[in-house]
């Protein structure tokens, strides 16, 4: 699903993004509710990037990547945590692209997500390449999502990927 977000482009620098786990739902500009196996997943586009809410029999998880006023947790390159019976893994990277490459990559990602049944993308007024996009899936008992946050004025694309799934017990070796 592709939508235009009717708000000012509020997080205009990739370096302003922060990561948080366990936040309450924030006001969303666009929402996509998904049922993936036994998991209820809500993809949320915020005025300041994204939030994902996951509910499953084993528990719940809330991930926020956004400009969070007063946050002292910058966007990490990687996080691995135990959340009850779940393993949570998060990774982020920043791609820096030239103007032509950026426009092409933006069009490619928006086309991929807009036509996907588990995808949500929102473009911001003022630039056709200012967007946040999210894509979710469930594979092998795990829920996964990827996000893209575009900063055309900087030529930077922040890419994240997350995996949440039941912990597998360690196998003892003889």
């Amino acid at each position: 699903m592709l939508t235009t977000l009717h708000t000012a482009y509020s997080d205009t620098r990739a370096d302003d993004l922060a990561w948080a786990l366990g936040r309450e739902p924030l006001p969303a500009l666009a929402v996509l509710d998904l049922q993936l196996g036994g998991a209820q997943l809500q993809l949320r586009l915020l005025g300041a990037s994204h939030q994902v809410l996951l509910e499953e029999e084993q528990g719940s998880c809330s991930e926020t990547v956004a400009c969070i006023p007063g946050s002292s947790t910058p966007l990490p390159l990687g996080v691995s945590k135990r959340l009850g019976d779940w393993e949570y893994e998060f990774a982020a990277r920043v791609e820096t692209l030239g103007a032509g490459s950026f426009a092409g990559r933006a069009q490619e990602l928006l086309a991929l997500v807009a036509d996907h049944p588990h995808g949500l993308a929102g473009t911001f007024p003022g630039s056709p390449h200012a967007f946040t996009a999210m894509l979710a899936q469930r594979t092998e008992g795990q829920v996964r999502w990827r996000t893209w946050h575009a900063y055309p004025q900087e030529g930077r694309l922040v890419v994240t990927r997350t995996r949440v799934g039941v912990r597998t017990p360690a196998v003892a070796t003889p």
Side-chain angles (χ1 to χ4, degrees):
M1 179 171 89
L2 179 62
T3 186
T4 299
L5 302 173
H6 299 286
T7 186
Y9 188 42
S10 62
D11 57 339
T12 56
R13 290 174 13 116
D15 292 341
D16 291 340
L17 283 177
W19 169 86
L21 199 56
R23 290 186 68 103
E24 291 296 316
L26 297 171
L29 300 172
V31 173
L32 179 63
D33 288 306
L34 299 171
Q35 188 74 31
L36 300 175
Q40 294 177 357
L41 192 68
Q42 188 176 77
L43 305 179
R44 303 167 58 85
L45 296 178
L46 313 176
S49 291
H50 89 256
Q51 187 172 51
V52 176
L53 307 177
L54 171 63
E55 294 278 339
E56 225 177 354
E57 188 177 305
Q58 292 89 349
S60 63
C61 174
S62 165
E63 173 189 279
T64 306
V65 173
C67 293
I68 303 169
S71 175
S72 61
T73 306
L75 191 63
L77 294 178
V79 174
S80 183
K81 286 186 170 273
R82 288 185 177 171
L83 301 174
D85 290 336
W86 285 342
E87 288 181 351
Y88 169 91
E89 290 182 2
F90 171 87
R93 74 176 194 277
V94 178
E95 297 177 10
T96 302
L97 304 163
S101 296
F102 191 93
R105 182 90 164 114
Q107 290 172 344
E108 172 187 280
L109 288 169
L110 287 172
L112 169 74
V113 175
D115 295 334
H116 197 286
H118 301 147
L120 176 63
T123 57
F124 291 89
S127 171
H129 305 124
F131 68 91
T132 299
M134 309 169 73
L135 189 61
Q137 67 178 6
R138 183 177 184 106
T139 58
E140 300 172 3
Q142 299 177 339
V143 179
R144 300 168 186 252
W145 57 89
R146 297 191 63 193
T147 72
W148 299 269
H149 304 264
Y151 299 91
Q153 72 285 1
E154 294 182 320
R156 296 173 87 191
L157 184 66
V158 177
V159 180
T160 74
R161 65 175 171 76
T162 302
R163 179 188 67 81
V164 179
V166 175
R167 262 191 297 165
T168 53
V171 177
T173 55

